[in-house]
Structure formats: C-alpha cells, structure tokens
C-alpha cells in the first residue's frame, strides 16, 4: 500500500521550510507528490479515527489512476522523480498540477475521491477536517455538516420543533 500526498514543492520538500516557501505556497507554486510505502495498515499507523475506508468500483479505480497520472509531470512516459522523501522508501515526484491557496492538498484529495466516482465536492474545502468530512460522508459515516464559523444559531422556535 502506498500513501500519496500533494503539496507545494518548496514547502513540502524543505527540511525546514522558510517564509519564502510559505509565501510561494499561498500565491501559487510548483506542486509535488510524495509517495510513501506504508509498512503496515493505515489504521495501525494513524489510528482508526483518522482513516476512512471507501468502496471504489473498478471503473472508479481506473478514473483515479487517470487523475493521478494527470497530476504527475511526466518525462518520457514516466513520472519525474525529484528526490528521496522523508520516510524510508518514500520519494518526491514533480507534479503537473500547481499548488496554491485556491488548490491545496485538501482540495486535491477531494478531487481524487471525486475522480474515483465518490459523491464528494471540493467546493469550499480548505482544511483537512473538511476533506475528511467529505470522505466520511462518502463512506456514510459523517455527522451532519457543522455550521460555518460565525453563522447564527437556529431560532429557538426551530430548535424546539
């Protein structure tokens, strides 16, 4: 099993990112994909509350592969390997997709789920929590969406309903 992550190239690949890497990540910069082989089940590594199991059809898997191929910058038919990653056996690959405030690791993740045929939307996804909510909703395990920060509470008469 391989874990894939998408990020801003300078920020994600830096041992210690600097402020210029952060500015570039916000304003738009080259993307990068980290491929990390997992030595054990995701639940064992990250905890069961941070893993969502999703069923994907064979057609959805083919579409997901196409999405991932489109994300990666390719040399002569193969992904462009940039460097070893921070985990044993991991590697960074150049992305054809750019990273920026409007297209982050979280929107990329939800777009990958959508490419796999799952009923998700990246519209408005900013945080990892929002991306996880989309995944849990697709799995049928999500709680109702929280109100946006600062949204007014329901009127008392509606709450008694």
């Amino acid at each position: 099993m391989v874990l894939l992550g998408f990020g801003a190239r300078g920020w994600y690949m830096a041992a210690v990112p600097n402020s210029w890497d952060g500015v570039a990540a916000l304003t738009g910069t080259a993307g990068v994909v980290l491929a990390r082989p997992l030595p054990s089940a995701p639940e064992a590594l990250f905890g069961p509350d941070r893993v969502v199991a999703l069923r994907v059809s064979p057609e959805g898997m083919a579409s997901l592969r196409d999405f991932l191929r489109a994300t990666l910058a390719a040399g002569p038919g193969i992904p462009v390997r940039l460097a070893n990653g921070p985990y044993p056996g991991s590697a960074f690959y150049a992305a054809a997709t750019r990273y920026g405030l409007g297209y982050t690791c979280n929107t990329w993740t939800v777009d990958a789920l959508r490419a796999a045929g799952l009923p998700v939307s990246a519209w408005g996804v900013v945080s990892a929590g929002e991306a996880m909510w989309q995944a849990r909703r697709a799995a049928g395990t999500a709680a109702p969406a929280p109100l946006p920060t600062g949204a007014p509470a329901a009127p008392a008469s509606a709450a008694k309903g």
Side-chain angles (χ1 to χ4, degrees):
M1 189 171 301
V2 176
L3 176 72
L4 298 175
F6 171 73
R9 188 177 297 181
W11 182 271
Y12 209 5
M13 291 182 68
V16 179
N18 63 44
S19 56
W20 290 114
D21 294 325
V23 169
L26 292 175
T27 59
T29 188
V32 69
V33 173
L34 173 66
R36 174 186 179 190
L38 296 181
S40 59
E43 295 85 353
L45 290 171
F46 306 111
D49 58 325
R50 299 186 68 193
V51 175
V52 179
L54 298 165
R55 292 192 181 276
V56 177
S57 70
E59 296 82 13
M61 287 302 293
S63 293
L64 176 59
R65 279 190 299 274
D66 291 343
F67 173 84
L68 295 171
R69 282 188 189 112
T71 296
L72 293 168
I78 59 169
V80 177
R81 186 168 198 234
L82 298 174
N84 289 335
Y87 309 100
S90 67
F92 285 108
Y93 293 89
T97 306
R98 290 184 57 81
Y99 183 98
L101 192 56
Y103 198 76
T104 68
C105 51
N106 300 313
T107 47
W108 177 83
T109 298
V110 175
D111 277 352
L113 297 177
R114 185 169 179 81
L118 297 169
V120 297
S121 172
W123 188 87
V125 169
V126 176
S127 71
E130 291 161 338
M132 284 296 286
W133 184 83
Q134 289 283 339
R136 287 185 178 108
R137 186 172 66 96
T141 61
L147 287 174
T149 304
S157 60
K160 292 178 184 174

